Amino acid sequence: MTLLQDLEARLATALAAVLGGPASAAVTAAADLRFGDYQTNAAMVLAKQRKTNPRALAREIIDQLQLDGLATADIAGPGFINFRILPEAYAAKATALLGDVKLGVPAIGEGKTVVVDFSAPNVAKPMHVGHIRSTIIGDSLCRIARFLGFVVIADNHIGDWGTQFGMILHGWKTLLDAEALEADPIPELLRIYRDVNSATKADPSVLETCKNELVKLQAGDAENLAIWQQCIDVSKRGLQKIYDTLDVKFDHWLGESYYNDRLADLVDEFLTKGLARESNGAICIFSDGTKKPEEDPFMVHKEEGWTDNPAIIRKADGGFLYATTDLATLQFRIDEWKADQIWYVVGVPQSLHFRQIFEAAARWGKTGNFQHVAFGSILGDDRKLMKTRSGENVQLVDVLTESVERAARIIAEKSPDLQGEEAAMIAKIVGIGAVKFAELSQGRLTDYVFAWDRMLALQGDTAPYLQYSTVRIRSIFRKLDAPFDAASAVITLNQEAEIHLARLHARFGELLPLIIEDFRPNLLANYLLELARAFHSFFEACPVLKADGPVRESRLALCELTSRVLTTGLGLLGIQCPERM
RNA sequence: GCACCCGUAGCUCAAUUGGAUAGAGCGUCUGACUACGAAUCAGAAGGUUAGGGGUUCGAGUCCCUUCGGGUGUACCA
């Protein structure tokens, strides 16, 4: 049980006594330490309902509170009840956490299966910086959900069946440089894609040719299928290299093509069940009229007024669309994988699409907790969304390479004793960590303009700062004569810096469930910065190796626990910690 | 037109979803390495939370409105 849960349980008991019936109220971590460690506004909320004096009610609640050995409580301001955790309680908590591999994190996901749909690049095109958010946020959410006990299925729903293959097939047949493809396939695929794309603009008949190639592919033409398969294979190998660099893993790579042979039946089912109907030759899902137009994803306001905004599941030419594959995918995940939840880590611009998909799924009888985990856009220097087609975008590989190189330069400057393989490995851990942390420490909905320096910073509120904290701790343990036995250590707290460390340790388990509620890994990032700052302050104020007896043992144990929380927390963000740096 | 996201220190961003005197980093300024690692620490300056109304004990957060940026809106994904 976390301290917060403990307080809530005791508060509920006190409330029941005061109100004469079952009642509960939320306790939150205090925003400011001057007001204690935790607070509740239960008295103010209840006083409003009962039209009584909030401070008097708070007094009654406190008189009923049994906080023996845990905390003290007092009234402040308009009727807050502030809790101050006793140092002995923090010490006991920290000591207990030393023996807990989960570090106090509750298994709130036990028995639930969640599919996380993230990254999902289009094949035959390199990933540019705009693709980084889904990949990194999605991976982190997978790790956090697993740590909370969820069964997590990480699925890379790659775009391997889109209209871009019309152009690529045409380019493959007319423009392909076999040697270039052999040497480095992805840039060559991108080159032919771009060349054909610009050719279609100059000459509309090229576009027709491309469409025909696509139709042949979708009809099962052997030659086109073989080319398509080759594209997929080289693309996947290229993508895998980036995922290896990023330390991102998927359980499945079920792309759009996987669902191809289910689409016709799906459309038929929607037609026979009356969920969709024909309109202008296309098969569409329309509004069912149960919502106000401004809240209805199938309605849109144009100059002439409110009008239909259907989700098209089959084009007039018989082709299938994004919405069709997404519905087939959702069905598969619910029926085959028994998913209770599906989290789609996809940018804000697609929010309308997901509102339509979720609504259509509900009418179809596919129930589950579906979440569009939307994130803001990465903008180019012109403050416009980065587009794949324009081609001037910074590629993801280049960002990662540059970050590792910058880290290597800093290592050479600050730790010249590190050499060769070891230095290169550390540069990779630090450089990649910096990029990931830059992304994860930000609120996911904010847009930002891509800038090298913000993404690759190595000082201040960055991953290297956190990694450096763990390195300093490990350095201490290397200096010990005998291995430190954390399992039998007892933590006692005297200095304010020690108490603050233990306070933050206790919060780790309270924080993680909060993160998954709203999909905000940045809360974890901020927490880790706070913990590292607290550690550095402690480290300046409290000698460890120079202390004696129980104080030394306690401080070593605090170091050990801090190291574990930092390493675990960074691990949940997908960031590793080096032994030295 | 309508819908969605956003606007917070010079810059880049937070703020546990309605809590108390809005916090970090970068940059600027003062200090601290013969020291358990200075990729660090201790401290200072920096704010009408885009503007204006409203709701209530209490608003960066909710409602209305104006301005500014981004995105979406029938056969791309």
Side-chain angles (χ1 to χ4, degrees):
Chain A
M1 181 160 39
T2 63
L3 294 177
L4 190 143
Q5 288 168 329
D6 197 351
L7 285 172
E8 281 187 338
R10 294 178 194 228
L11 178 64
T13 307
L15 284 175
V18 172
L19 304 174
S24 65
V27 173
T28 59
D32 192 319
L33 289 179
R34 281 175 313 214
F35 306 122
D37 298 300
Y38 296 90
Q39 61 176 246
T40 179
N41 53 20
M44 288 183 287
V45 174
L46 291 167
K48 186 181 258 183
Q49 286 168 13
R50 292 151 52 95
K51 301 193 192 326
T52 58
N53 181 305
R55 286 187 64 99
L57 186 59
R59 181 79 264 155
E60 280 185 67
I61 294 168
I62 288 180
D63 288 343
Q64 291 294 330
L65 266 171
Q66 299 290 323
L67 294 174
D68 43 297
L70 178 66
T72 59
D74 55 17
I75 307 171
F80 292 103
I81 299 175
N82 291 333
F83 300 100
R84 237 166 265 275
I85 302 295
L86 301 171
E88 309 89 86
Y90 271 137
K93 182 74 187 172
T95 304
L97 289 178
L98 272 175
D100 179 6
V101 288
K102 300 300 278 188
L103 296 168
V105 175
I108 60 163
E110 203 81 66
K112 290 180 204 144
T113 298
V114 56
V115 173
V116 185
D117 181 323
F118 67 105
S119 197
N122 284 327
V123 300
K125 290 184 212 164
M127 289 202 269
H128 63 77
V129 286
H131 292 110
I132 203 174
R133 294 192 96 163
S134 175
T135 306
I136 292 177
I137 294 171
D139 178 58
S140 176
L141 291 177
C142 286
R143 292 169 187 264
I144 294 169
R146 282 202 182 96
F147 201 73
L148 285 165
F150 288 90
V151 173
V152 174
I153 301 174
D155 188 13
N156 195 4
H157 190 63
I158 53 173
D160 58 359
W161 199 250
T163 37
Q164 80 265 27
F165 276 102
M167 294 193 194
I168 291 167
L169 285 164
H170 178 58
W172 184 287
K173 291 177 179 178
T174 57
L175 300 170
L176 190 70
D177 178 341
E179 277 179 31
L181 186 78
E182 184 68 27
D184 201 353
I186 309 258
E188 176 60 9
L189 288 176
L190 182 69
R191 184 188 70 83
I192 62 173
Y193 173 79
R194 281 196 192 134
D195 287 356
V196 173
N197 191 44
S198 48
T200 58
K201 284 179 183 131
D203 179 3
S205 74
V206 177
L207 191 61
E208 277 309 304
T209 313
C210 294
K211 280 187 181 170
N212 288 335
E213 294 290 0
L214 184 68
V215 169
K216 276 169 71 183
L217 172 70
Q218 296 185 334
D221 176 80
E223 185 194 6
N224 280 10
L225 265 179
I227 295 172
W228 170 79
Q229 189 62 53
Q230 245 184 299
C231 286
I232 303 298
D233 291 344
V234 296
S235 295
K236 276 188 175 176
R237 263 180 268 141
L239 290 169
Q240 188 59 54
K241 243 191 254 177
I242 294 184
Y243 292 134
D244 287 344
T245 304
L246 286 172
D247 189 23
V248 168
K249 295 184 179 66
F250 296 96
D251 299 299
H252 299 280
W253 289 58
L254 299 189
E256 291 165 348
S257 66
Y258 181 82
Y259 301 94
N260 198 36
D261 55 10
R262 299 163 184 258
L263 304 182
D265 288 349
L266 184 147
V267 173
D268 286 343
E269 186 181 346
F270 267 69
L271 280 170
T272 52
K273 288 188 172 165
L275 297 166
R277 63 181 157 83
E278 186 271 334
S279 170
N280 294 330
I283 306 302
C284 307
I285 303 169
F286 283 96
S287 167
D288 62 1
T290 58
K291 289 187 175 62
K292 289 187 284 185
E294 57 268 33
E295 287 167 6
D296 193 326
F298 299 101
M299 297 297 281
V300 68
H301 192 279
K302 289 289 171 70
E303 282 77 3
E304 61 273 16
W306 289 101
T307 176
D308 284 317
N309 180 40
I312 299 174
I313 54 175
R314 195 173 76 199
K315 293 192 283 184
D317 69 6
F320 303 109
L321 289 141
Y322 189 25
T324 330
T325 40
D326 257 7
L327 283 168
T329 305
L330 185 144
Q331 175 191 36
F332 179 84
R333 289 167 176 169
I334 297 292
D335 293 349
E336 301 291 320
W337 284 344
K338 310 295 178 203
D340 301 296
Q341 308 192 17
I342 306 176
W343 302 343
Y344 296 86
V345 188
V346 180
V348 164
Q350 296 188 47
S351 55
L352 176 60
H353 167 75
F354 284 108
R355 285 176 59 215
Q356 291 187 331
I357 293 296
F358 297 166
E359 170 73 23
R363 291 190 205 161
W364 194 16
K366 304 298 171 193
T367 54
N369 181 353
F370 309 132
Q371 298 287 340
H372 176 202
V373 182
F375 52 83
S377 308
I378 303 183
L379 310 175
D381 288 334
D382 55 357
R383 283 204 60 82
K384 297 280 183 198
L385 190 61
M386 287 196 164
K387 298 275 193 219
T388 314
R389 279 174 204 177
S390 65
E392 292 100 37
N393 293 325
V394 180
Q395 289 190 18
L396 183 49
V397 201
D398 295 334
V399 173
L400 301 179
T401 306
E402 172 71 16
S403 186
V404 172
E405 278 170 11
R406 287 194 191 194
R409 284 202 290 275
I410 301 279
I411 289 166
E413 175 194 325
K414 305 215 183 243
S415 311
D417 54 313
L418 293 172
Q419 292 289 330
E421 287 274 306
E422 191 185 14
M425 199 191 69
I426 294 165
K428 192 181 159 190
I429 292 174
V430 172
I432 300 298
V435 171
K436 287 191 173 191
F437 194 83
E439 183 58 62
L440 291 166
S441 58
Q442 190 145 170
R444 43 171 249 268
L445 283 169
T446 49
D447 297 347
Y448 63 87
V449 176
F450 173 78
W452 289 96
D453 284 342
R454 65 171 284 131
M455 197 159 270
L456 306 186
L458 301 172
Q459 315 241 321
D461 280 356
T462 62
Y465 174 71
L466 300 173
Q467 290 164 327
Y468 179 67
S469 310
T470 68
V471 164
R472 283 182 91 175
I473 295 171
R474 278 171 197 170
S475 171
I476 288 193
F477 287 103
R478 272 198 295 272
K479 291 191 165 65
L480 291 176
D481 301 328
F484 179 66
D485 180 15
S488 66
V490 174
I491 290 173
T492 52
L493 305 170
N494 297 301
Q495 302 295 314
E496 187 46 49
E498 297 174 297
I499 295 171
H500 191 49
L501 258 188
R503 174 186 290 128
L504 291 174
H505 293 149
R507 289 212 179 141
F508 186 63
E510 300 168 3
L511 184 72
L512 288 192
L514 213 58
I515 290 168
I516 227 70
E517 249 176 51
D518 296 296
F519 311 105
R520 294 195 296 171
N522 70 308
L523 291 181
L524 177 56
N526 294 342
Y527 164 83
L528 293 173
L529 288 170
E530 200 179 348
L531 178 61
R533 260 182 239 120
F535 169 73
H536 284 295
S537 299
F538 156 81
F539 206 60
E540 298 285 328
C542 304
V544 177
L545 293 174
K546 284 174 199 153
D548 297 311
V551 173
R552 179 180 146 112
E553 183 194 74
S554 169
R555 287 180 179 171
L556 278 168
L558 278 173
C559 287
E560 172 66 23
L561 187 52
T562 304
S563 170
R564 285 189 199 172
V565 175
L566 280 172
T567 309
T568 304
L570 278 167
L572 294 176
L573 298 177
I575 298 170
Q576 296 174 284
C577 291
E579 278 296 314
R580 303 198 296 155
M581 64 188 278

